[in-house]
Amino acid sequence: MNFKRLILPATIMLVALAGCATGKQDNDTSLPESHTTDASNQPFFKAVRKVGFEDAGRFIMVEGSQCTEQANGPEPATMLITHDMPAYVNNGTVILNGWDLRYLHSDHEVRTLRADITHSKLVTGGGGPPVLVFEVAGELSDQNWDDPYEFCVYYTGLGFNSAWINARIEGDYNGISTQALQIHSEGPIATLESLWDSGTLKGHDSMVVIPRGFDFQYDNQFECEFRFPPCRWNDPADHHLRQVAYSLFQTDASPNPDGNPHWVTQTIFKDSGTRTHWVRTRAALIGGESVKLRASFLPLNPRSGRTSICRNGTDGIVHTETFRIYDLPYDYAVPMLTGWNLDYECDHQHVQRAGIWIHDIRFDPDSNGLEYKLSSILRDKNGAPGFNASHRISVLGFNRSSIPPVVVDDRPAPDIQIRLRKQHLNP
């Protein structure tokens, strides 16, 4: 039996039961930025939680990050994350908005690169506040799975009152996964077409694809290295990294004429050449009359061979920029990292750290403006040569229902006494 599959359902049950004995927590209070448990029986982790925007009683956007360490072995690093929501939230979901992976000791070649929200659910009932619960898996491994690494996930959660926002989530718990084997002769860009025909979204519904994860892995092939024990024919293969990229393509949120939502994801995972590798992506859907989309697509440009443009100085630091989007025609707006690219500047290298994530998200309802910061890193052990990073943000928008909910006043009617006054008329 695969006991890991039982983690999220068991935790959901515990969260619901625990809600009976706990009160509502203050969502405006950030948790400490780091926390270390007993190393003898628990993994190290650090977490950040904060509210990016809230329209009390109607909508809330939260963001957070959490990290863990994995010592070794072929199993990915996993985390179970919970985020309390206000009592009015009866629908909600989570978006993968970034990742950060690093080997803890030196740099190495790469076999697998993964960041993936594998399960998600909004737990309601039990007497406590609603809780957004999701499970995350990440991996940075080489051929032998013997190097410890740290995995950090960056996410944005949203919750709303369905009386004010007409929207629902499909494929939320397991996500909608698509997998393909990209043969080296097919080129460096893998194209995955996804189709959803198992839910309740109808042809008249607007629909938006929510990014949930990626998993890149070189295919097994004979690649012998000087080591003990000796190589075998079907040993896992690892290689240098030149470029890794992801781009989710959806033109707009227009109603689907056939009632079956479909979308396309393109990826790159390569060293200086092109090698056969596996690609798996994961997504979820949100649809309804309130759902809107400002779509953006990142064209992928494969990097091959050695270039003559190389910065000689050390550049192995996190780059952070601030971006602003103005005049969005939505009551509420949430940014989604639907396209990103990381590549070494002049040639393939070992990897010590790689990641790209958005954070410090702010939505201003007065100006309908959205602000966020983007951080990125790609380096080997000495930080040279430098790296390039690019990204695209698609905006998930919500407009409140045109017919607001009816507020029923269930207070008892006042005790009104009417006194009749007799009038005498003169003859």
Side-chain angles (χ1 to χ4, degrees):
M1 178 182 294
N2 190 340
F3 289 97
K4 287 199 170 183
R5 294 184 179 177
L6 301 177
I7 293 177
L8 186 56
T11 302
I12 289 173
M13 183 176 294
L14 290 174
V15 169
L17 292 174
C20 298
T22 58
K24 183 180 184 300
Q25 296 183 11
D26 185 0
N27 286 299
D28 292 330
T29 302
S30 298
L31 295 179
E33 291 193 2
S34 63
H35 175 73
T36 304
T37 60
D38 183 3
S40 62
N41 56 13
Q42 295 290 336
F44 157 84
F45 75 90
K46 54 186 178 182
V48 174
R49 308 277 191 275
K50 56 185 172 181
V51 175
F53 171 80
E54 182 176 11
D55 182 3
R58 301 174 182 178
F59 180 87
I60 187 170
M61 175 178 64
V62 300
E63 66 169 302
S65 63
Q66 188 159 312
C67 304
T68 188
E69 293 179 1
Q70 181 78 345
N72 51 47
E75 295 295 325
T78 58
M79 293 178 282
L80 193 67
I81 301 175
T82 62
H83 205 129
D84 283 359
M85 290 291 189
Y88 63 82
V89 170
N90 58 15
N91 214 331
T93 190
V94 64
I95 303 164
L96 177 67
N97 263 339
W99 53 278
D100 187 8
L101 287 157
R102 67 182 181 96
Y103 285 118
L104 296 179
H105 307 303
S106 191
D107 56 10
H108 304 278
E109 292 183 328
V110 174
R111 167 173 168 77
T112 302
L113 192 68
R114 179 184 182 188
D116 198 4
I117 298 177
T118 56
H119 301 93
S120 172
K121 185 174 180 62
L122 180 71
V123 180
T124 59
V131 182
L132 186 61
V133 184
F134 53 100
E135 189 174 356
V136 184
E139 184 175 350
L140 175 64
S141 60
D142 64 357
Q143 186 180 64
N144 303 321
W145 298 293
D146 59 350
D147 299 297
Y149 61 91
E150 181 186 59
F151 166 53
C152 298
V153 65
Y154 292 80
Y155 64 88
T156 302
L158 58 98
F160 54 90
N161 185 338
S162 58
W164 284 95
I165 297 177
N166 181 354
R168 58 191 174 278
I169 297 110
E170 291 285 356
D172 196 39
Y173 181 73
N174 291 315
I176 306 164
S177 62
T178 306
Q179 180 172 293
L181 178 65
Q182 181 71 7
I183 307 298
H184 68 88
S185 59
E186 297 173 341
I189 299 180
T191 300
L192 291 81
E193 297 188 13
S194 303
L195 177 70
W196 175 250
D197 58 2
S198 303
T200 59
L201 291 178
K202 305 300 181 182
H204 63 272
D205 284 332
S206 297
M207 183 275 297
V208 172
V209 183
I210 297 173
R212 281 285 178 81
F214 64 89
D215 185 357
F216 303 144
Q217 180 176 287
Y218 285 118
D219 191 34
N220 291 344
Q221 62 182 25
F222 183 68
E223 186 215 7
C224 196
E225 297 179 348
F226 182 75
R227 60 181 175 83
F228 182 83
C231 307
R232 296 176 299 177
W233 182 262
N234 287 325
D235 274 353
D238 59 4
H239 301 284
H240 292 72
L241 185 68
R242 174 64 193 278
Q243 182 180 10
V244 58
Y246 168 99
S247 186
L248 172 65
F249 177 66
Q250 181 187 1
T251 54
D252 55 41
S254 299
N256 299 276
D258 57 2
N260 294 328
H262 50 272
W263 61 98
V264 173
T265 309
Q266 291 187 322
T267 63
I268 295 176
F269 182 55
K270 67 189 300 295
D271 60 0
S272 60
T274 301
R275 300 183 184 274
T276 299
H277 62 279
W278 288 94
V279 180
R280 184 173 65 220
T281 62
R282 196 182 308 271
L285 301 175
I286 184 167
E289 295 178 358
S290 294
V291 176
K292 310 297 177 184
L293 176 67
R294 184 181 187 268
S296 186
F297 176 68
L298 177 66
L300 300 187
N301 181 21
R303 311 293 184 185
S304 299
R306 182 180 179 86
T307 66
S308 58
I309 303 175
C310 293
R311 287 172 286 181
N312 295 323
T314 301
D315 190 33
I317 59 174
V318 174
H319 295 175
T320 300
E321 300 176 85
T322 300
F323 296 86
R324 296 176 180 86
I325 304 172
Y326 298 101
D327 299 324
L328 293 167
Y330 313 131
D331 293 325
Y332 315 115
V334 181
M336 302 189 301
L337 185 61
T338 52
W340 48 264
N341 175 84
L342 295 169
D343 65 85
Y344 282 115
E345 192 165 48
C346 57
D347 200 1
H348 64 200
Q349 306 288 332
H350 281 189
V351 173
Q352 191 273 323
R353 185 180 179 186
I356 187 165
W357 60 96
I358 63 174
H359 54 101
D360 294 320
I361 302 168
R362 295 290 182 268
F363 173 67
D364 182 5
D366 296 327
S367 64
N368 292 93
L370 192 62
E371 179 181 292
Y372 65 92
K373 293 182 180 180
L374 176 93
S375 294
S376 59
I377 181 69
L378 178 64
R379 60 163 294 160
D380 62 2
K381 64 181 179 182
N382 64 3
F387 71 95
N388 302 304
S390 56
H391 81 289
R392 290 291 188 275
I393 290 293
S394 295
V395 178
L396 171 60
F398 296 94
N399 285 337
R400 292 187 292 269
S401 298
S402 57
I403 302 176
V406 177
V407 179
V408 178
D409 190 350
D410 57 359
R411 293 175 298 176
D415 184 12
I416 302 176
Q417 296 181 352
I418 301 176
R419 294 183 179 180
L420 298 178
R421 185 176 60 182
K422 184 182 294 185
Q423 292 184 345
H424 297 279
L425 298 179
N426 295 324

